[in-house]
Amino acid sequence: MIVDFFHDVVCGWCYVMSPRLRQVAAELDIAVRHRSFVLQDSRERIMEAFGTMEKAKTEILGHWEACAKQDDEQRIDIEGMRAESFEYPSGLAGALACQAAHIIGGDAAHWDYFDAVQNAHLSQHRNIGNPSVLLDIAVDLGFARDVFASRMNSEAADSRVQADRDEARKLGIRSIPTLIVGPDLDRLQTMPAPALKARLQAVMQNA
């Protein structure tokens, strides 16, 4: 069975869900296909959604508080991000970087990079809207900096992001993380690992 995992690098609930999905996918031998879902793709879109960049950061960090309460390993550093002076980033640059990893190494590389950039954002409060930070993360994972930069800035990476966004619109996805599973395109969102495993087992048995 293949699970489509729609996610955004700036999404705290995705950070909570990803390790649970890793665990369950390994236990059930399920393949995971990674899909970029960018909540706001620019500073302008963030301001449209929240009014000002200051309000955006305040409100989003309020969402982080809810995520932190559910995170199995208590990794989310809210106060660290609150103390940073840079504006809260959109997820577009990170999505392009995830697709660069995908172009180089497929879904496995995409997932490793996605988890690393989320860790940089939510645990290390680094500015993942900065391309240099995204490239540093890639190098830490063993990618060649110049090759990764080329892929990240390529038309192919942009096309992959847009294709995933188009697919999300077609499926009517409005919130993330969303897992699309089984022949009936069941939709699963953040839940504890045991519940996730039970739901996926049920879909597998009925497929």
Side-chain angles (χ1 to χ4, degrees):
M1 188 171 75
I2 296 175
V3 172
D4 281 299
F5 181 17
F6 285 85
H7 51 57
D8 187 343
V9 294
V10 299
C11 168
W13 290 113
C14 296
Y15 196 39
V16 172
M17 186 65 166
S18 184
R20 297 175 182 176
L21 180 58
R22 274 192 184 271
Q23 173 192 327
V24 172
E27 291 173 356
L28 300 181
D29 194 25
I30 290 172
V32 177
R33 187 161 50 197
H34 290 269
R35 303 286 202 176
S36 296
F37 184 103
V38 183
L39 289 166
Q40 288 94 31
D41 60 11
S42 66
R43 186 177 188 272
E44 291 70 29
R45 294 291 179 270
I46 293 175
M47 291 182 68
E48 286 177 11
F50 297 98
T52 68
M53 295 304 292
E54 292 77 14
K55 288 181 180 178
K57 187 170 184 178
T58 298
E59 186 168 335
I60 292 167
L61 291 184
H63 299 166
W64 280 31
E65 291 174 3
C67 297
K69 291 176 182 177
Q70 299 300 322
D71 185 37
D72 296 329
E73 298 177 18
Q74 297 297 295
R75 301 164 296 163
I76 299 174
D77 187 355
I78 300 164
E79 294 309 315
M81 180 59 84
R82 200 187 311 277
E84 297 291 354
S85 60
F86 57 81
E87 294 181 338
Y88 196 86
S90 85
L92 181 58
L96 291 168
C98 284
Q99 294 296 352
H102 197 124
I103 291 167
I104 295 168
D107 280 301
H110 189 145
W111 205 346
D112 288 345
Y113 187 86
F114 176 76
D115 283 350
V117 77
Q118 285 229 291
N119 179 68
H121 178 56
L122 286 120
S123 293
Q124 301 173 359
H125 41 91
R126 295 165 70 186
N127 183 6
I128 62 167
N130 184 332
S132 294
V133 171
L134 295 172
L135 290 173
D136 289 344
I137 295 167
V139 170
D140 288 344
L141 289 176
F143 294 101
R145 191 181 191 92
D146 290 347
V147 173
F148 196 91
S150 175
R151 301 296 186 273
M152 190 169 71
N153 296 315
S154 69
E155 183 177 334
D158 182 69
S159 294
R160 290 188 62 87
V161 169
Q162 298 309 321
D164 285 349
R165 297 180 80 183
D166 289 344
E167 183 68 13
R169 280 191 287 269
K170 186 168 70 175
L171 292 168
I173 294 172
R174 297 184 180 276
S175 63
I176 47 170
T178 292
L179 308 181
I180 303 294
V181 300
D184 295 328
L185 303 181
D186 291 1
R187 296 160 192 238
L188 309 181
Q189 294 187 295
T190 307
M191 62 184 69
L196 176 62
K197 184 174 182 178
R199 291 290 300 276
L200 291 176
Q201 284 176 317
V203 172
M204 293 171 73
Q205 289 167 2
N206 294 327

